[in-house]
Amino acid sequence: MRRINFQPDLRSVFEEIGKIAKKLEFSVYLVGGPVRDILLGRAFQDVDVVCVGNAVKLAKVFSKRVKGELIYRRRFPNATVKWNNSAKVDFVSARSEVYPRNKVGLPRVRRTKDLLVDLKRRDFSVNAIAVDLNPGNFGNMYDPFNGLGDCQKKVLRILHPNSFREDPTRIFRAIRFSMELSFQICLLYT
């Protein structure tokens, strides 16, 4: 099992989120772009935390702890906490998405208690990596789609054959990431 070591300032924030989640009996993970960027040695600004549980409840408690501003969205089970004029964490409940058949549209979103289901709905393997923020497993990396290998090979790989059909904006994300990261786009999936 590979472990991620965070810079001290980030580590203290992530440990605090993990402690709060444990008290609420939730599990939490750093996911997506920040994990990818850490593995690539890049700086990042967006911090995305997936909560297997109620992300809004977790965000409310964290917001009080850091004396931050809570921004809540009803459509999706998520919230953002901003504090110290520049720090920001996005909290999202682990979820599954079901897209409309034969047309483009917003997905029907349901909470899930399975981190793998949440990771499987993501755009590319390099963004489907999670790092455990829970006490006892803190820093452990979960990489069910070999995103680390794709980071090392500099490849953007979709996770399933309907990826672009379900969400055509992923095509633009692929182009942007390809240019930004100097990665090749691979249309093969796991």
Side-chain angles (χ1 to χ4, degrees):
M1 169 89 40
R2 182 171 173 144
R3 293 180 59 81
I4 300 290
N5 293 314
F6 298 109
Q7 296 172 354
D9 55 336
L10 286 175
R11 183 179 182 91
S12 63
V13 170
F14 295 153
E15 284 177 334
E16 186 62 28
I17 291 169
K19 288 175 191 173
I20 294 168
K22 183 177 180 178
K23 286 181 184 176
L24 295 172
E25 298 181 353
F26 301 152
S27 295
V28 287
Y29 304 87
L30 181 68
V31 296
V35 178
R36 176 201 66 228
D37 289 343
I38 288 169
L39 294 172
L40 294 173
R42 291 170 34 104
F44 61 92
Q45 294 194 353
D46 294 332
V47 176
D48 301 317
V49 172
V50 164
C51 175
V52 179
N54 186 331
V56 174
K57 186 173 184 179
L58 174 64
K60 285 179 182 177
V61 175
F62 180 72
S63 176
K64 288 178 185 172
R65 190 77 46 92
V66 296
K67 296 178 178 60
E69 174 189 3
L70 177 73
I71 302 162
Y72 169 66
R73 296 165 202 83
R74 293 188 191 279
R75 170 89 171 103
F76 294 102
N78 61 14
T80 299
V81 176
K82 293 181 178 183
W83 74 102
N84 288 348
N85 295 327
S86 63
K88 179 181 94 158
V89 176
D90 292 319
F91 293 86
V92 180
S93 292
R95 67 187 194 241
S96 66
E97 295 176 342
V98 178
Y99 286 84
R101 289 184 182 254
N102 301 320
K103 65 178 182 176
V104 175
L106 291 175
R108 191 173 66 240
V109 175
R110 290 195 177 126
R111 281 192 195 162
T112 181
K113 293 183 179 183
D114 188 344
L115 176 65
L116 182 61
V117 169
D118 185 87
L119 293 176
K120 195 180 283 190
R121 72 171 182 79
R122 295 180 179 273
D123 52 5
F124 308 106
S125 62
V126 297
N127 291 335
I129 306 169
V131 177
D132 203 324
L133 301 182
N134 300 290
N137 295 315
F138 188 85
N140 288 346
M141 188 174 81
Y142 298 98
D143 184 15
F145 305 105
N146 195 28
L148 174 59
D150 288 344
C151 280
Q152 292 167 339
K153 291 185 234 171
K154 296 188 169 253
V155 170
L156 281 177
R157 187 171 39 86
I158 59 175
L159 299 178
H160 55 84
N162 292 325
S163 184
F164 294 134
R165 182 177 299 138
E166 288 179 350
D167 185 353
T169 65
R170 289 177 177 158
I171 295 167
F172 298 109
R173 288 172 55 87
I175 294 167
R176 188 187 82 183
F177 288 143
S178 174
M179 301 294 288
E180 196 175 291
L181 303 172
S182 299
F183 277 30
Q184 289 187 345
I185 300 170
C186 176
L187 298 179
L188 301 176
Y189 59 93
T190 6

